[in-house]
Amino acid sequence: MNRREFFVKSAKAVIPITGAALLIANPAIAKVLEQAGDGSKLPQGTLPYSFNGFNERVQAYIVARYYVRLSTSFGHQGRETFKLATRIYAEQRGHRMAQRALADGQELTVATYHQYGEWVPTEESKQRGESLDQEVLWDRPYYAFKVKRCPWAIQFREMGLPEAGLAYCKDLDASIYRGFNPTIKYETRQTLHDHDCCIQCSPGTRITSQELSCPKKKSGLRSFEYHCAHSYWTFRQVLISVLGNKGKTLSEEVLEDVRRDLGQTFVETLQKYKDTDFNVA
């Protein structure tokens, strides 16, 4: 019995117990069973995911679908393009944060970085018990913290795509910092995709609990509708730049993935941001 046959057999064994709920929670299982031709499909009209709106996991879903299609269609070239798109997306976030901080006359330090972050956990994430859970490692000689729970990691895991999560998270935060202030050294030393926690640090930087306790500037916060649109459109721009019309076609396919798994409303909202300049605050 090969790996795929074992997966199909295992999924069939638990479906009589959990029913459509299992398929809704994990579209990867539904897809394999559908391809196996056993007739086990979601009830007609049922979406694989049921989110109240745009949130952290929706952003991870969009990113993961880009990874799957790039990896499947373009192999190594596609995976490298995915990493490039991730870095450009993240640097744009850092640029916007720096613009707001400089407009307020602030120095571009790690403490300022935390004050000008663009998101806070969504209410849906908190209600699901999935919001970010992290703690500062005060015993280190420099600023470091570990993440024990992450909604993005949860989504990548449910989609059966830890490799996509690893490719995304490895450079994400370092790239945001680079966009904010390239003189700040920042590293993601391990992630939840291949360890029991994520470890991030800024060698050479010290920060106090008082500095970390400062609330984020409300004027700089952006909704996850904005962040999800930012992911989709920046990835799309990079793919078209690298792959031409093939990149455009692939991005349209990702939009169809969103329509199929999340619903038409999510697609229509993403399309509203088509002409947004994500480079400026």
Side-chain angles (χ1 to χ4, degrees):
M1 181 185 300
N2 61 34
R3 183 178 179 183
R4 186 175 184 279
E5 290 172 338
F6 175 78
F7 181 53
V8 172
K9 184 177 180 180
S10 300
K12 288 180 179 178
V14 296
I15 282 176
I17 301 173
T18 60
L22 173 67
L23 302 181
I24 293 172
N26 197 329
I29 294 178
K31 186 65 175 177
V32 170
L33 290 173
E34 181 178 344
Q35 292 173 345
D38 76 331
S40 299
K41 299 181 180 180
L42 289 169
Q44 187 173 5
T46 301
L47 294 172
Y49 293 102
S50 180
F51 295 125
N52 295 331
F54 285 90
N55 57 40
E56 298 91 326
R57 287 183 57 174
V58 172
Q59 185 179 35
Y61 169 87
I62 292 170
V63 168
R65 292 309 304 166
Y66 265 115
Y67 180 88
V68 169
R69 291 197 173 276
L70 279 167
S71 183
T72 300
S73 299
F74 297 96
H76 176 73
Q77 180 191 23
R79 289 187 288 274
E80 289 302 307
T81 301
F82 174 89
K83 293 176 184 177
L84 174 63
T86 297
R87 292 194 296 270
I88 291 175
Y89 155 81
E91 288 173 6
Q92 288 176 328
R93 276 179 55 183
H95 290 158
R96 294 193 302 263
M97 292 164 60
Q99 290 166 37
R100 295 187 185 100
L102 290 172
D104 290 341
Q106 299 295 317
E107 295 292 330
L108 300 184
T109 65
V110 173
T112 304
Y113 176 94
H114 282 277
Q115 292 182 47
Y116 285 82
E118 290 190 326
W119 68 272
V120 293
T122 62
E123 288 302 316
E124 184 171 9
S125 178
K126 289 188 279 189
Q127 291 170 5
R128 287 172 175 262
E130 297 174 346
S131 56
L132 200 67
D133 181 7
Q134 63 184 33
E135 65 175 285
V136 178
L137 304 176
W138 295 109
D139 59 334
R140 304 295 173 91
Y142 44 74
Y143 173 55
F145 67 92
K146 70 177 180 179
V147 178
K148 296 176 287 186
R149 183 183 64 237
C150 168
W152 288 271
I154 292 171
Q155 182 64 29
F156 285 120
R157 183 170 63 248
E158 284 200 2
M159 295 175 75
L161 293 169
E163 69 276 15
L166 185 60
Y168 182 68
C169 295
K170 182 179 179 181
D171 294 327
L172 179 72
D173 289 278
S175 296
I176 301 174
Y177 265 99
R178 185 166 56 251
F180 180 75
N181 182 350
T183 67
I184 298 175
K185 185 178 180 181
Y186 197 82
E187 302 173 2
T188 296
R189 294 191 170 175
Q190 67 182 52
T191 77
L192 278 163
H193 310 295
D194 53 358
H195 292 80
D196 61 353
C197 67
C198 173
I199 299 290
Q200 299 187 16
C201 63
S202 180
T205 298
R206 293 292 295 179
I207 193 167
T208 67
S209 59
Q210 183 178 6
E211 289 172 323
L212 283 178
S213 65
C214 290
K216 292 183 178 180
K217 301 286 185 179
K218 291 183 178 180
S219 59
L221 296 178
R222 294 295 178 266
S223 68
F224 267 92
E225 173 185 306
Y226 177 95
H227 289 302
C228 290
H230 181 197
S231 292
Y232 176 77
W233 289 107
T234 292
F235 270 64
R236 181 181 175 118
Q237 289 174 343
V238 174
L239 264 63
I240 292 174
S241 178
V242 174
L243 303 170
N245 286 332
K246 292 180 179 179
K248 180 179 180 181
T249 298
L250 188 149
S251 298
E252 288 295 328
E253 291 171 347
V254 169
L255 206 59
E256 286 305 309
D257 292 338
V258 174
R259 190 190 316 276
R260 179 196 65 220
D261 292 342
L262 303 180
Q264 175 65 19
T265 300
F266 283 82
V267 172
E268 292 175 355
T269 302
L270 290 175
Q271 290 174 327
K272 293 178 182 178
Y273 288 83
K274 179 180 179 180
D275 298 321
T276 300
D277 185 352
F278 294 102
N279 287 294
V280 295

